[in-house]
Amino acid sequence: MSISPELQAKIDALEDERLKAEILDLLTGPGKRRATDEEIYETIVSSYTRAKEARARLRQWQDDEVAAFARYFKEKDQRITLNS
């Protein structure tokens, strides 16, 4: 089954090459589908986007935690210096 030019343009516009390959593999691979090509594309892209956002939130949390940890030791060091 061939991919419509509109959907192919959407796939080509994606930046992640692995994501493009995954979508193309699913759309051009053998097997019976219960969803349209567009639905498959939307499902994969939305799952990818949610996972990417979750990783970004986790990464931000870790950055914030590191910053708080550094502030704690900087303040502790200042207290020690003032008491010396």
mmCIF file with all atom_site columns, all heavy atoms in Angstrom, residues 3 6-14 19-20 23-24 26-27 35-48:
data_model
loop_
_atom_site.group_PDB
_atom_site.id
_atom_site.type_symbol
_atom_site.label_atom_id
_atom_site.label_alt_id
_atom_site.label_comp_id
_atom_site.label_asym_id
_atom_site.label_entity_id
_atom_site.label_seq_id
_atom_site.pdbx_PDB_ins_code
_atom_site.Cartn_x
_atom_site.Cartn_y
_atom_site.Cartn_z
_atom_site.occupancy
_atom_site.B_iso_or_equiv
_atom_site.pdbx_formal_charge
_atom_site.auth_seq_id
_atom_site.auth_comp_id
_atom_site.auth_asym_id
_atom_site.auth_atom_id
_atom_site.pdbx_PDB_model_num
ATOM 1   N N   . ILE A 1 3  ? 1.880  5.250  0.441  1.00 0.00 ? 3  ILE A N   1
ATOM 2   C CA  . ILE A 1 3  ? 1.605  6.322  1.385  1.00 0.00 ? 3  ILE A CA  1
ATOM 3   C C   . ILE A 1 3  ? 1.178  7.557  0.597  1.00 0.00 ? 3  ILE A C   1
ATOM 4   O O   . ILE A 1 3  ? 1.794  7.898  -0.412 1.00 0.00 ? 3  ILE A O   1
ATOM 5   C CB  . ILE A 1 3  ? 2.862  6.613  2.225  1.00 0.00 ? 3  ILE A CB  1
ATOM 6   C CG1 . ILE A 1 3  ? 3.264  5.351  2.998  1.00 0.00 ? 3  ILE A CG1 1
ATOM 7   C CG2 . ILE A 1 3  ? 2.632  7.773  3.168  1.00 0.00 ? 3  ILE A CG2 1
ATOM 8   C CD1 . ILE A 1 3  ? 4.612  5.440  3.665  1.00 0.00 ? 3  ILE A CD1 1
ATOM 9   N N   . GLU A 1 6  ? 0.501  13.623 1.048  1.00 0.00 ? 6  GLU A N   1
ATOM 10  C CA  . GLU A 1 6  ? 0.345  14.493 2.216  1.00 0.00 ? 6  GLU A CA  1
ATOM 11  C C   . GLU A 1 6  ? 0.986  13.877 3.457  1.00 0.00 ? 6  GLU A C   1
ATOM 12  O O   . GLU A 1 6  ? 1.699  14.543 4.206  1.00 0.00 ? 6  GLU A O   1
ATOM 13  C CB  . GLU A 1 6  ? -1.141 14.768 2.490  1.00 0.00 ? 6  GLU A CB  1
ATOM 14  C CG  . GLU A 1 6  ? -1.848 15.537 1.404  1.00 0.00 ? 6  GLU A CG  1
ATOM 15  C CD  . GLU A 1 6  ? -2.351 14.645 0.264  1.00 0.00 ? 6  GLU A CD  1
ATOM 16  O OE1 . GLU A 1 6  ? -2.386 13.400 0.415  1.00 0.00 ? 6  GLU A OE1 1
ATOM 17  O OE2 . GLU A 1 6  ? -2.696 15.201 -0.784 1.00 0.00 ? 6  GLU A OE2 1
ATOM 18  N N   . LEU A 1 7  ? 0.733  12.582 3.653  1.00 0.00 ? 7  LEU A N   1
ATOM 19  C CA  . LEU A 1 7  ? 1.314  11.895 4.806  1.00 0.00 ? 7  LEU A CA  1
ATOM 20  C C   . LEU A 1 7  ? 2.821  11.770 4.637  1.00 0.00 ? 7  LEU A C   1
ATOM 21  O O   . LEU A 1 7  ? 3.573  11.956 5.601  1.00 0.00 ? 7  LEU A O   1
ATOM 22  C CB  . LEU A 1 7  ? 0.673  10.518 5.001  1.00 0.00 ? 7  LEU A CB  1
ATOM 23  C CG  . LEU A 1 7  ? 1.135  9.738  6.221  1.00 0.00 ? 7  LEU A CG  1
ATOM 24  C CD1 . LEU A 1 7  ? 0.950  10.539 7.499  1.00 0.00 ? 7  LEU A CD1 1
ATOM 25  C CD2 . LEU A 1 7  ? 0.392  8.414  6.313  1.00 0.00 ? 7  LEU A CD2 1
ATOM 26  N N   . GLN A 1 8  ? 3.286  11.489 3.432  1.00 0.00 ? 8  GLN A N   1
ATOM 27  C CA  . GLN A 1 8  ? 4.724  11.394 3.189  1.00 0.00 ? 8  GLN A CA  1
ATOM 28  C C   . GLN A 1 8  ? 5.401  12.728 3.514  1.00 0.00 ? 8  GLN A C   1
ATOM 29  O O   . GLN A 1 8  ? 6.492  12.758 4.090  1.00 0.00 ? 8  GLN A O   1
ATOM 30  C CB  . GLN A 1 8  ? 5.010  10.996 1.737  1.00 0.00 ? 8  GLN A CB  1
ATOM 31  C CG  . GLN A 1 8  ? 6.484  10.757 1.455  1.00 0.00 ? 8  GLN A CG  1
ATOM 32  C CD  . GLN A 1 8  ? 7.044  9.579  2.229  1.00 0.00 ? 8  GLN A CD  1
ATOM 33  O OE1 . GLN A 1 8  ? 6.518  8.484  2.174  1.00 0.00 ? 8  GLN A OE1 1
ATOM 34  N NE2 . GLN A 1 8  ? 8.128  9.800  2.956  1.00 0.00 ? 8  GLN A NE2 1
ATOM 35  N N   . ALA A 1 9  ? 4.750  13.838 3.183  1.00 0.00 ? 9  ALA A N   1
ATOM 36  C CA  . ALA A 1 9  ? 5.307  15.161 3.489  1.00 0.00 ? 9  ALA A CA  1
ATOM 37  C C   . ALA A 1 9  ? 5.405  15.372 5.002  1.00 0.00 ? 9  ALA A C   1
ATOM 38  O O   . ALA A 1 9  ? 6.401  15.921 5.501  1.00 0.00 ? 9  ALA A O   1
ATOM 39  C CB  . ALA A 1 9  ? 4.450  16.248 2.852  1.00 0.00 ? 9  ALA A CB  1
ATOM 40  N N   . LYS A 1 10 ? 4.387  14.907 5.746  1.00 0.00 ? 10 LYS A N   1
ATOM 41  C CA  . LYS A 1 10 ? 4.431  15.012 7.205  1.00 0.00 ? 10 LYS A CA  1
ATOM 42  C C   . LYS A 1 10 ? 5.584  14.191 7.774  1.00 0.00 ? 10 LYS A C   1
ATOM 43  O O   . LYS A 1 10 ? 6.288  14.634 8.690  1.00 0.00 ? 10 LYS A O   1
ATOM 44  C CB  . LYS A 1 10 ? 3.117  14.529 7.825  1.00 0.00 ? 10 LYS A CB  1
ATOM 45  C CG  . LYS A 1 10 ? 1.957  15.461 7.658  1.00 0.00 ? 10 LYS A CG  1
ATOM 46  C CD  . LYS A 1 10 ? 0.749  14.859 8.363  1.00 0.00 ? 10 LYS A CD  1
ATOM 47  C CE  . LYS A 1 10 ? -0.473 15.711 8.275  1.00 0.00 ? 10 LYS A CE  1
ATOM 48  N NZ  . LYS A 1 10 ? -1.617 15.105 8.996  1.00 0.00 ? 10 LYS A NZ  1
ATOM 49  N N   . ILE A 1 11 ? 5.749  12.996 7.240  1.00 0.00 ? 11 ILE A N   1
ATOM 50  C CA  . ILE A 1 11 ? 6.825  12.119 7.709  1.00 0.00 ? 11 ILE A CA  1
ATOM 51  C C   . ILE A 1 11 ? 8.176  12.744 7.392  1.00 0.00 ? 11 ILE A C   1
ATOM 52  O O   . ILE A 1 11 ? 9.071  12.787 8.235  1.00 0.00 ? 11 ILE A O   1
ATOM 53  C CB  . ILE A 1 11 ? 6.700  10.707 7.083  1.00 0.00 ? 11 ILE A CB  1
ATOM 54  C CG1 . ILE A 1 11 ? 5.421  10.030 7.578  1.00 0.00 ? 11 ILE A CG1 1
ATOM 55  C CG2 . ILE A 1 11 ? 7.926  9.856  7.402  1.00 0.00 ? 11 ILE A CG2 1
ATOM 56  C CD1 . ILE A 1 11 ? 5.042  8.770  6.822  1.00 0.00 ? 11 ILE A CD1 1
ATOM 57  N N   . ASP A 1 12 ? 8.322  13.255 6.193  1.00 0.00 ? 12 ASP A N   1
ATOM 58  C CA  . ASP A 1 12 ? 9.584  13.881 5.791  1.00 0.00 ? 12 ASP A CA  1
ATOM 59  C C   . ASP A 1 12 ? 9.923  15.105 6.643  1.00 0.00 ? 12 ASP A C   1
ATOM 60  O O   . ASP A 1 12 ? 11.094 15.428 6.827  1.00 0.00 ? 12 ASP A O   1
ATOM 61  C CB  . ASP A 1 12 ? 9.537  14.280 4.315  1.00 0.00 ? 12 ASP A CB  1
ATOM 62  C CG  . ASP A 1 12 ? 9.508  13.078 3.386  1.00 0.00 ? 12 ASP A CG  1
ATOM 63  O OD1 . ASP A 1 12 ? 9.891  11.967 3.815  1.00 0.00 ? 12 ASP A OD1 1
ATOM 64  O OD2 . ASP A 1 12 ? 9.089  13.250 2.215  1.00 0.00 ? 12 ASP A OD2 1
ATOM 65  N N   . ALA A 1 13 ? 8.909  15.776 7.173  1.00 0.00 ? 13 ALA A N   1
ATOM 66  C CA  . ALA A 1 13 ? 9.128  16.978 7.974  1.00 0.00 ? 13 ALA A CA  1
ATOM 67  C C   . ALA A 1 13 ? 9.621  16.668 9.388  1.00 0.00 ? 13 ALA A C   1
ATOM 68  O O   . ALA A 1 13 ? 10.123 17.552 10.078 1.00 0.00 ? 13 ALA A O   1
ATOM 69  C CB  . ALA A 1 13 ? 7.842  17.791 8.046  1.00 0.00 ? 13 ALA A CB  1
ATOM 70  N N   . LEU A 1 14 ? 9.500  15.405 9.810  1.00 0.00 ? 14 LEU A N   1
ATOM 71  C CA  . LEU A 1 14 ? 9.965  15.030 11.145 1.00 0.00 ? 14 LEU A CA  1
ATOM 72  C C   . LEU A 1 14 ? 11.480 15.125 11.228 1.00 0.00 ? 14 LEU A C   1
ATOM 73  O O   . LEU A 1 14 ? 12.181 14.811 10.263 1.00 0.00 ? 14 LEU A O   1
ATOM 74  C CB  . LEU A 1 14 ? 9.514  13.604 11.488 1.00 0.00 ? 14 LEU A CB  1
ATOM 75  C CG  . LEU A 1 14 ? 8.011  13.377 11.578 1.00 0.00 ? 14 LEU A CG  1
ATOM 76  C CD1 . LEU A 1 14 ? 7.721  11.887 11.693 1.00 0.00 ? 14 LEU A CD1 1
ATOM 77  C CD2 . LEU A 1 14 ? 7.428  14.141 12.748 1.00 0.00 ? 14 LEU A CD2 1
ATOM 78  N N   . LEU A 1 19 ? 12.473 7.931  14.220 1.00 0.00 ? 19 LEU A N   1
ATOM 79  C CA  . LEU A 1 19 ? 11.016 8.019  14.231 1.00 0.00 ? 19 LEU A CA  1
ATOM 80  C C   . LEU A 1 19 ? 10.463 7.875  12.822 1.00 0.00 ? 19 LEU A C   1
ATOM 81  O O   . LEU A 1 19 ? 9.500  7.139  12.595 1.00 0.00 ? 19 LEU A O   1
ATOM 82  C CB  . LEU A 1 19 ? 10.570 9.350  14.844 1.00 0.00 ? 19 LEU A CB  1
ATOM 83  C CG  . LEU A 1 19 ? 9.070  9.608  14.923 1.00 0.00 ? 19 LEU A CG  1
ATOM 84  C CD1 . LEU A 1 19 ? 8.372  8.546  15.771 1.00 0.00 ? 19 LEU A CD1 1
ATOM 85  C CD2 . LEU A 1 19 ? 8.806  11.001 15.469 1.00 0.00 ? 19 LEU A CD2 1
ATOM 86  N N   . LYS A 1 20 ? 11.091 8.537  11.873 1.00 0.00 ? 20 LYS A N   1
ATOM 87  C CA  . LYS A 1 20 ? 10.675 8.407  10.466 1.00 0.00 ? 20 LYS A CA  1
ATOM 88  C C   . LYS A 1 20 ? 10.736 6.952  10.024 1.00 0.00 ? 20 LYS A C   1
ATOM 89  O O   . LYS A 1 20 ? 9.800  6.426  9.417  1.00 0.00 ? 20 LYS A O   1
ATOM 90  C CB  . LYS A 1 20 ? 11.596 9.220  9.546  1.00 0.00 ? 20 LYS A CB  1
ATOM 91  C CG  . LYS A 1 20 ? 11.405 10.684 9.582  1.00 0.00 ? 20 LYS A CG  1
ATOM 92  C CD  . LYS A 1 20 ? 12.360 11.306 8.567  1.00 0.00 ? 20 LYS A CD  1
ATOM 93  C CE  . LYS A 1 20 ? 12.533 12.768 8.740  1.00 0.00 ? 20 LYS A CE  1
ATOM 94  N NZ  . LYS A 1 20 ? 13.422 13.358 7.736  1.00 0.00 ? 20 LYS A NZ  1
ATOM 95  N N   . ILE A 1 23 ? 7.945  4.797  11.551 1.00 0.00 ? 23 ILE A N   1
ATOM 96  C CA  . ILE A 1 23 ? 6.651  5.043  10.915 1.00 0.00 ? 23 ILE A CA  1
ATOM 97  C C   . ILE A 1 23 ? 6.604  4.385  9.538  1.00 0.00 ? 23 ILE A C   1
ATOM 98  O O   . ILE A 1 23 ? 5.636  3.693  9.200  1.00 0.00 ? 23 ILE A O   1
ATOM 99  C CB  . ILE A 1 23 ? 6.377  6.560  10.808 1.00 0.00 ? 23 ILE A CB  1
ATOM 100 C CG1 . ILE A 1 23 ? 6.167  7.155  12.202 1.00 0.00 ? 23 ILE A CG1 1
ATOM 101 C CG2 . ILE A 1 23 ? 5.161  6.831  9.925  1.00 0.00 ? 23 ILE A CG2 1
ATOM 102 C CD1 . ILE A 1 23 ? 6.152  8.665  12.242 1.00 0.00 ? 23 ILE A CD1 1
ATOM 103 N N   . LEU A 1 24 ? 7.648  4.574  8.760  1.00 0.00 ? 24 LEU A N   1
ATOM 104 C CA  . LEU A 1 24 ? 7.671  3.989  7.413  1.00 0.00 ? 24 LEU A CA  1
ATOM 105 C C   . LEU A 1 24 ? 7.649  2.470  7.463  1.00 0.00 ? 24 LEU A C   1
ATOM 106 O O   . LEU A 1 24 ? 6.974  1.825  6.651  1.00 0.00 ? 24 LEU A O   1
ATOM 107 C CB  . LEU A 1 24 ? 8.888  4.494  6.638  1.00 0.00 ? 24 LEU A CB  1
ATOM 108 C CG  . LEU A 1 24 ? 8.823  5.971  6.236  1.00 0.00 ? 24 LEU A CG  1
ATOM 109 C CD1 . LEU A 1 24 ? 10.158 6.418  5.637  1.00 0.00 ? 24 LEU A CD1 1
ATOM 110 C CD2 . LEU A 1 24 ? 7.681  6.220  5.271  1.00 0.00 ? 24 LEU A CD2 1
ATOM 111 N N   . LEU A 1 26 ? 6.260  0.584  9.750  1.00 0.00 ? 26 LEU A N   1
ATOM 112 C CA  . LEU A 1 26 ? 4.903  0.152  10.084 1.00 0.00 ? 26 LEU A CA  1
ATOM 113 C C   . LEU A 1 26 ? 3.931  0.352  8.928  1.00 0.00 ? 26 LEU A C   1
ATOM 114 O O   . LEU A 1 26 ? 3.054  -0.477 8.693  1.00 0.00 ? 26 LEU A O   1
ATOM 115 C CB  . LEU A 1 26 ? 4.396  0.900  11.317 1.00 0.00 ? 26 LEU A CB  1
ATOM 116 C CG  . LEU A 1 26 ? 4.947  0.388  12.638 1.00 0.00 ? 26 LEU A CG  1
ATOM 117 C CD1 . LEU A 1 26 ? 4.586  1.334  13.769 1.00 0.00 ? 26 LEU A CD1 1
ATOM 118 C CD2 . LEU A 1 26 ? 4.414  -0.997 12.933 1.00 0.00 ? 26 LEU A CD2 1
ATOM 119 N N   . LEU A 1 27 ? 4.088  1.454  8.216  1.00 0.00 ? 27 LEU A N   1
ATOM 120 C CA  . LEU A 1 27 ? 3.149  1.745  7.135  1.00 0.00 ? 27 LEU A CA  1
ATOM 121 C C   . LEU A 1 27 ? 3.394  0.898  5.890  1.00 0.00 ? 27 LEU A C   1
ATOM 122 O O   . LEU A 1 27 ? 2.458  0.619  5.144  1.00 0.00 ? 27 LEU A O   1
ATOM 123 C CB  . LEU A 1 27 ? 3.201  3.228  6.769  1.00 0.00 ? 27 LEU A CB  1
ATOM 124 C CG  . LEU A 1 27 ? 2.738  4.204  7.853  1.00 0.00 ? 27 LEU A CG  1
ATOM 125 C CD1 . LEU A 1 27 ? 2.870  5.635  7.362  1.00 0.00 ? 27 LEU A CD1 1
ATOM 126 C CD2 . LEU A 1 27 ? 1.315  3.907  8.280  1.00 0.00 ? 27 LEU A CD2 1
ATOM 127 N N   . ALA A 1 35 ? -6.227 0.263  11.468 1.00 0.00 ? 35 ALA A N   1
ATOM 128 C CA  . ALA A 1 35 ? -6.254 1.727  11.510 1.00 0.00 ? 35 ALA A CA  1
ATOM 129 C C   . ALA A 1 35 ? -5.743 2.262  10.181 1.00 0.00 ? 35 ALA A C   1
ATOM 130 O O   . ALA A 1 35 ? -5.030 1.574  9.455  1.00 0.00 ? 35 ALA A O   1
ATOM 131 C CB  . ALA A 1 35 ? -5.378 2.226  12.651 1.00 0.00 ? 35 ALA A CB  1
ATOM 132 N N   . THR A 1 36 ? -6.098 3.503  9.904  1.00 0.00 ? 36 THR A N   1
ATOM 133 C CA  . THR A 1 36 ? -5.615 4.129  8.673  1.00 0.00 ? 36 THR A CA  1
ATOM 134 C C   . THR A 1 36 ? -4.160 4.536  8.842  1.00 0.00 ? 36 THR A C   1
ATOM 135 O O   . THR A 1 36 ? -3.645 4.619  9.973  1.00 0.00 ? 36 THR A O   1
ATOM 136 C CB  . THR A 1 36 ? -6.444 5.384  8.338  1.00 0.00 ? 36 THR A CB  1
ATOM 137 O OG1 . THR A 1 36 ? -6.207 6.371  9.352  1.00 0.00 ? 36 THR A OG1 1
ATOM 138 C CG2 . THR A 1 36 ? -7.928 5.072  8.234  1.00 0.00 ? 36 THR A CG2 1
ATOM 139 N N   . ASP A 1 37 ? -3.507 4.799  7.735  1.00 0.00 ? 37 ASP A N   1
ATOM 140 C CA  . ASP A 1 37 ? -2.128 5.264  7.784  1.00 0.00 ? 37 ASP A CA  1
ATOM 141 C C   . ASP A 1 37 ? -2.016 6.536  8.620  1.00 0.00 ? 37 ASP A C   1
ATOM 142 O O   . ASP A 1 37 ? -1.081 6.697  9.411  1.00 0.00 ? 37 ASP A O   1
ATOM 143 C CB  . ASP A 1 37 ? -1.593 5.534  6.369  1.00 0.00 ? 37 ASP A CB  1
ATOM 144 C CG  . ASP A 1 37 ? -1.324 4.257  5.593  1.00 0.00 ? 37 ASP A CG  1
ATOM 145 O OD1 . ASP A 1 37 ? -1.422 3.160  6.180  1.00 0.00 ? 37 ASP A OD1 1
ATOM 146 O OD2 . ASP A 1 37 ? -1.002 4.363  4.394  1.00 0.00 ? 37 ASP A OD2 1
ATOM 147 N N   . GLU A 1 38 ? -2.957 7.429  8.448  1.00 0.00 ? 38 GLU A N   1
ATOM 148 C CA  . GLU A 1 38 ? -2.957 8.700  9.196  1.00 0.00 ? 38 GLU A CA  1
ATOM 149 C C   . GLU A 1 38 ? -3.093 8.448  10.696 1.00 0.00 ? 38 GLU A C   1
ATOM 150 O O   . GLU A 1 38 ? -2.409 9.074  11.509 1.00 0.00 ? 38 GLU A O   1
ATOM 151 C CB  . GLU A 1 38 ? -4.095 9.593  8.696  1.00 0.00 ? 38 GLU A CB  1
ATOM 152 C CG  . GLU A 1 38 ? -4.063 10.995 9.233  1.00 0.00 ? 38 GLU A CG  1
ATOM 153 C CD  . GLU A 1 38 ? -2.940 11.853 8.681  1.00 0.00 ? 38 GLU A CD  1
ATOM 154 O OE1 . GLU A 1 38 ? -2.533 11.653 7.526  1.00 0.00 ? 38 GLU A OE1 1
ATOM 155 O OE2 . GLU A 1 38 ? -2.465 12.733 9.423  1.00 0.00 ? 38 GLU A OE2 1
ATOM 156 N N   . GLU A 1 39 ? -3.966 7.517  11.088 1.00 0.00 ? 39 GLU A N   1
ATOM 157 C CA  . GLU A 1 39 ? -4.140 7.191  12.503 1.00 0.00 ? 39 GLU A CA  1
ATOM 158 C C   . GLU A 1 39 ? -2.869 6.568  13.085 1.00 0.00 ? 39 GLU A C   1
ATOM 159 O O   . GLU A 1 39 ? -2.485 6.888  14.216 1.00 0.00 ? 39 GLU A O   1
ATOM 160 C CB  . GLU A 1 39 ? -5.319 6.239  12.688 1.00 0.00 ? 39 GLU A CB  1
ATOM 161 C CG  . GLU A 1 39 ? -6.675 6.875  12.433 1.00 0.00 ? 39 GLU A CG  1
ATOM 162 C CD  . GLU A 1 39 ? -7.807 5.863  12.387 1.00 0.00 ? 39 GLU A CD  1
ATOM 163 O OE1 . GLU A 1 39 ? -7.574 4.682  12.038 1.00 0.00 ? 39 GLU A OE1 1
ATOM 164 O OE2 . GLU A 1 39 ? -8.942 6.269  12.695 1.00 0.00 ? 39 GLU A OE2 1
ATOM 165 N N   . ILE A 1 40 ? -2.246 5.702  12.320 1.00 0.00 ? 40 ILE A N   1
ATOM 166 C CA  . ILE A 1 40 ? -0.985 5.096  12.770 1.00 0.00 ? 40 ILE A CA  1
ATOM 167 C C   . ILE A 1 40 ? 0.068  6.169  12.969 1.00 0.00 ? 40 ILE A C   1
ATOM 168 O O   . ILE A 1 40 ? 0.755  6.214  13.992 1.00 0.00 ? 40 ILE A O   1
ATOM 169 C CB  . ILE A 1 40 ? -0.513 4.023  11.768 1.00 0.00 ? 40 ILE A CB  1
ATOM 170 C CG1 . ILE A 1 40 ? -1.477 2.839  11.782 1.00 0.00 ? 40 ILE A CG1 1
ATOM 171 C CG2 . ILE A 1 40 ? 0.920  3.578  12.072 1.00 0.00 ? 40 ILE A CG2 1
ATOM 172 C CD1 . ILE A 1 40 ? -1.268 1.848  10.654 1.00 0.00 ? 40 ILE A CD1 1
ATOM 173 N N   . TYR A 1 41 ? 0.190  7.064  11.992 1.00 0.00 ? 41 TYR A N   1
ATOM 174 C CA  . TYR A 1 41 ? 1.152  8.171  12.078 1.00 0.00 ? 41 TYR A CA  1
ATOM 175 C C   . TYR A 1 41 ? 0.873  9.012  13.328 1.00 0.00 ? 41 TYR A C   1
ATOM 176 O O   . TYR A 1 41 ? 1.783  9.292  14.112 1.00 0.00 ? 41 TYR A O   1
ATOM 177 C CB  . TYR A 1 41 ? 1.060  9.046  10.821 1.00 0.00 ? 41 TYR A CB  1
ATOM 178 C CG  . TYR A 1 41 ? 1.776  10.363 10.942 1.00 0.00 ? 41 TYR A CG  1
ATOM 179 C CD1 . TYR A 1 41 ? 3.145  10.452 10.712 1.00 0.00 ? 41 TYR A CD1 1
ATOM 180 C CD2 . TYR A 1 41 ? 1.092  11.517 11.304 1.00 0.00 ? 41 TYR A CD2 1
ATOM 181 C CE1 . TYR A 1 41 ? 3.813  11.662 10.842 1.00 0.00 ? 41 TYR A CE1 1
ATOM 182 C CE2 . TYR A 1 41 ? 1.745  12.729 11.427 1.00 0.00 ? 41 TYR A CE2 1
ATOM 183 C CZ  . TYR A 1 41 ? 3.100  12.796 11.195 1.00 0.00 ? 41 TYR A CZ  1
ATOM 184 O OH  . TYR A 1 41 ? 3.765  13.990 11.326 1.00 0.00 ? 41 TYR A OH  1
ATOM 185 N N   . GLU A 1 42 ? -0.375 9.415  13.521 1.00 0.00 ? 42 GLU A N   1
ATOM 186 C CA  . GLU A 1 42 ? -0.733 10.270 14.664 1.00 0.00 ? 42 GLU A CA  1
ATOM 187 C C   . GLU A 1 42 ? -0.447 9.569  15.990 1.00 0.00 ? 42 GLU A C   1
ATOM 188 O O   . GLU A 1 42 ? 0.041  10.199 16.928 1.00 0.00 ? 42 GLU A O   1
ATOM 189 C CB  . GLU A 1 42 ? -2.211 10.669 14.588 1.00 0.00 ? 42 GLU A CB  1
ATOM 190 C CG  . GLU A 1 42 ? -2.541 11.622 13.472 1.00 0.00 ? 42 GLU A CG  1
ATOM 191 C CD  . GLU A 1 42 ? -1.847 12.976 13.593 1.00 0.00 ? 42 GLU A CD  1
ATOM 192 O OE1 . GLU A 1 42 ? -1.551 13.420 14.723 1.00 0.00 ? 42 GLU A OE1 1
ATOM 193 O OE2 . GLU A 1 42 ? -1.595 13.584 12.541 1.00 0.00 ? 42 GLU A OE2 1
ATOM 194 N N   . THR A 1 43 ? -0.740 8.288  16.069 1.00 0.00 ? 43 THR A N   1
ATOM 195 C CA  . THR A 1 43 ? -0.486 7.536  17.302 1.00 0.00 ? 43 THR A CA  1
ATOM 196 C C   . THR A 1 43 ? 0.994  7.478  17.621 1.00 0.00 ? 43 THR A C   1
ATOM 197 O O   . THR A 1 43 ? 1.411  7.723  18.762 1.00 0.00 ? 43 THR A O   1
ATOM 198 C CB  . THR A 1 43 ? -1.059 6.109  17.191 1.00 0.00 ? 43 THR A CB  1
ATOM 199 O OG1 . THR A 1 43 ? -2.470 6.196  16.975 1.00 0.00 ? 43 THR A OG1 1
ATOM 200 C CG2 . THR A 1 43 ? -0.777 5.295  18.444 1.00 0.00 ? 43 THR A CG2 1
ATOM 201 N N   . ILE A 1 44 ? 1.806  7.165  16.633 1.00 0.00 ? 44 ILE A N   1
ATOM 202 C CA  . ILE A 1 44 ? 3.250  7.063  16.857 1.00 0.00 ? 44 ILE A CA  1
ATOM 203 C C   . ILE A 1 44 ? 3.837  8.418  17.231 1.00 0.00 ? 44 ILE A C   1
ATOM 204 O O   . ILE A 1 44 ? 4.619  8.526  18.181 1.00 0.00 ? 44 ILE A O   1
ATOM 205 C CB  . ILE A 1 44 ? 3.952  6.481  15.609 1.00 0.00 ? 44 ILE A CB  1
ATOM 206 C CG1 . ILE A 1 44 ? 3.537  5.036  15.400 1.00 0.00 ? 44 ILE A CG1 1
ATOM 207 C CG2 . ILE A 1 44 ? 5.470  6.582  15.752 1.00 0.00 ? 44 ILE A CG2 1
ATOM 208 C CD1 . ILE A 1 44 ? 4.001  4.445  14.089 1.00 0.00 ? 44 ILE A CD1 1
ATOM 209 N N   . VAL A 1 45 ? 3.459  9.458  16.504 1.00 0.00 ? 45 VAL A N   1
ATOM 210 C CA  . VAL A 1 45 ? 4.010  10.788 16.779 1.00 0.00 ? 45 VAL A CA  1
ATOM 211 C C   . VAL A 1 45 ? 3.564  11.297 18.146 1.00 0.00 ? 45 VAL A C   1
ATOM 212 O O   . VAL A 1 45 ? 4.365  11.863 18.891 1.00 0.00 ? 45 VAL A O   1
ATOM 213 C CB  . VAL A 1 45 ? 3.640  11.787 15.657 1.00 0.00 ? 45 VAL A CB  1
ATOM 214 C CG1 . VAL A 1 45 ? 3.997  13.210 16.039 1.00 0.00 ? 45 VAL A CG1 1
ATOM 215 C CG2 . VAL A 1 45 ? 4.343  11.402 14.360 1.00 0.00 ? 45 VAL A CG2 1
ATOM 216 N N   . SER A 1 46 ? 2.314  11.076 18.511 1.00 0.00 ? 46 SER A N   1
ATOM 217 C CA  . SER A 1 46 ? 1.852  11.554 19.823 1.00 0.00 ? 46 SER A CA  1
ATOM 218 C C   . SER A 1 46 ? 2.532  10.783 20.955 1.00 0.00 ? 46 SER A C   1
ATOM 219 O O   . SER A 1 46 ? 2.901  11.373 21.974 1.00 0.00 ? 46 SER A O   1
ATOM 220 C CB  . SER A 1 46 ? 0.335  11.481 19.937 1.00 0.00 ? 46 SER A CB  1
ATOM 221 O OG  . SER A 1 46 ? -0.121 10.158 19.893 1.00 0.00 ? 46 SER A OG  1
ATOM 222 N N   . SER A 1 47 ? 2.738  9.487  20.780 1.00 0.00 ? 47 SER A N   1
ATOM 223 C CA  . SER A 1 47 ? 3.459  8.699  21.797 1.00 0.00 ? 47 SER A CA  1
ATOM 224 C C   . SER A 1 47 ? 4.895  9.177  21.923 1.00 0.00 ? 47 SER A C   1
ATOM 225 O O   . SER A 1 47 ? 5.420  9.321  23.034 1.00 0.00 ? 47 SER A O   1
ATOM 226 C CB  . SER A 1 47 ? 3.453  7.216  21.430 1.00 0.00 ? 47 SER A CB  1
ATOM 227 O OG  . SER A 1 47 ? 2.155  6.711  21.476 1.00 0.00 ? 47 SER A OG  1
ATOM 228 N N   . TYR A 1 48 ? 5.529  9.438  20.801 1.00 0.00 ? 48 TYR A N   1
ATOM 229 C CA  . TYR A 1 48 ? 6.902  9.941  20.784 1.00 0.00 ? 48 TYR A CA  1
ATOM 230 C C   . TYR A 1 48 ? 6.971  11.297 21.493 1.00 0.00 ? 48 TYR A C   1
ATOM 231 O O   . TYR A 1 48 ? 7.861  11.532 22.316 1.00 0.00 ? 48 TYR A O   1
ATOM 232 C CB  . TYR A 1 48 ? 7.374  10.064 19.335 1.00 0.00 ? 48 TYR A CB  1
ATOM 233 C CG  . TYR A 1 48 ? 8.694  10.762 19.171 1.00 0.00 ? 48 TYR A CG  1
ATOM 234 C CD1 . TYR A 1 48 ? 9.893  10.076 19.318 1.00 0.00 ? 48 TYR A CD1 1
ATOM 235 C CD2 . TYR A 1 48 ? 8.750  12.113 18.846 1.00 0.00 ? 48 TYR A CD2 1
ATOM 236 C CE1 . TYR A 1 48 ? 11.107 10.716 19.159 1.00 0.00 ? 48 TYR A CE1 1
ATOM 237 C CE2 . TYR A 1 48 ? 9.958  12.759 18.684 1.00 0.00 ? 48 TYR A CE2 1
ATOM 238 C CZ  . TYR A 1 48 ? 11.134 12.068 18.843 1.00 0.00 ? 48 TYR A CZ  1
ATOM 239 O OH  . TYR A 1 48 ? 12.336 12.708 18.691 1.00 0.00 ? 48 TYR A OH  1
#
